[in-house]
Amino acid sequence: MNTNEEFDILAEKCLDIFSKKAIDYGTAWRILRTPSLTDQIYIKAQRIRSIEQKGVTLVDEGVMPEYIGIVNYSAMALIQLEVGVANTMEELMPADQAITLFKKYLQNAKDLMCNKNHDYDEAWRKMRRSSLTDIILMKLLRIKQIEDNDGKTVISEGLDANYYDIINYAMFALIKLHEGEKQ
């Protein structure tokens, strides 16, 4: 299987969870401002790093659901950047609209991943999964700094580029975990 196929399989898993939660909860997440979504992603990445460092977990969920959460919260953040935050129940969007936007952002992330994989010759495959986690955490710290600067940058990419990178690094980690399951 190649990276594009693996990405699609795991993106479908992320979409399945996003869609099922949209049935259970609707789009209540639309009330979250992007810094709150950034913090949710940070919590998930920090839990993964903690498990990697300790080698054990007391909550037996593994890290795969955490990486899926990172992908999904990052897509939610991209949606919020596009459409803005809902302040009332009336401003929540229908689940099918959220799912359509979610698919769009995962496809945009995949397109970016394909271009970068071409230029970097899939160098991520030689990386340790723990390095992917660290890069996600670094990207989150960058996002927090940009948020603290009211979204303004002097020379760096903006919030959206960092969320896309986080999606792709989390997908790389998921691919590594998925390949480990097959062996």
Side-chain angles (χ1 to χ4, degrees):
M1 211 177 297
N2 66 38
T3 302
N4 290 340
E5 294 167 334
E6 290 173 305
F7 187 103
D8 289 341
I9 288 167
L10 293 161
E12 194 61 40
K13 191 176 232 180
C14 294
L15 173 63
D16 181 59
I17 289 169
F18 182 83
S19 299
K20 287 177 179 171
K21 288 192 177 196
I23 293 168
D24 288 348
Y25 305 132
T27 57
W29 56 267
R30 292 267 300 113
I31 201 85
L32 296 173
R33 294 169 285 185
T34 50
S36 297
L37 289 163
T38 301
D39 288 343
Q40 287 297 310
I41 300 165
Y42 181 82
I43 289 166
K44 295 197 167 297
Q46 189 59 48
R47 179 173 185 266
I48 294 166
R49 184 172 166 148
S50 173
I51 292 168
E52 289 170 350
Q53 290 175 322
K54 294 174 185 169
V56 295
T57 174
L58 297 181
V59 179
D60 192 26
E61 296 172 350
V63 296
M64 189 171 263
E66 302 297 351
Y67 283 116
I68 290 170
I70 288 170
V71 169
N72 290 3
Y73 278 119
S74 295
M76 289 177 205
L78 288 164
I79 292 169
Q80 295 295 69
L81 288 174
E82 177 183 339
V83 300
V85 174
N87 292 308
T88 65
M89 287 289 290
E90 294 75 33
E91 294 177 17
L92 299 180
M93 67 177 56
D96 60 334
Q97 182 184 357
I99 290 167
T100 298
L101 288 169
F102 183 89
K103 288 178 183 177
K104 171 183 133 178
Y105 285 112
L106 256 53
Q107 184 60 52
N108 290 351
K110 181 183 178 189
D111 293 344
L112 176 64
M113 182 268 306
C114 289
N115 292 337
K116 286 188 175 186
N117 264 351
H118 173 270
D119 291 353
Y120 288 96
D121 285 331
E122 295 204 335
W124 67 270
R125 288 198 176 269
K126 293 181 177 56
M127 294 174 66
R128 296 173 185 93
R129 190 171 48 80
S130 60
S131 295
L132 298 171
T133 304
D134 288 349
I135 292 170
I136 290 168
L137 284 163
M138 177 192 64
K139 294 279 182 182
L140 288 163
L141 294 178
R142 288 179 179 181
I143 288 171
K144 286 178 177 230
Q145 184 63 48
I146 294 168
E147 289 169 344
D148 290 347
N149 292 338
D150 296 322
K152 295 178 183 77
T153 60
V154 176
I155 192 169
S156 305
E157 297 175 313
L159 294 170
D160 58 341
N162 283 284
Y163 285 123
Y164 279 124
D165 284 346
I166 289 171
I167 289 173
N168 284 328
Y169 282 115
M171 290 300 281
F172 293 155
L174 285 167
I175 289 169
K176 286 181 169 287
L177 287 165
H178 188 250
E179 287 175 343
E181 286 178 358
K182 291 187 298 189
Q183 295 172 354

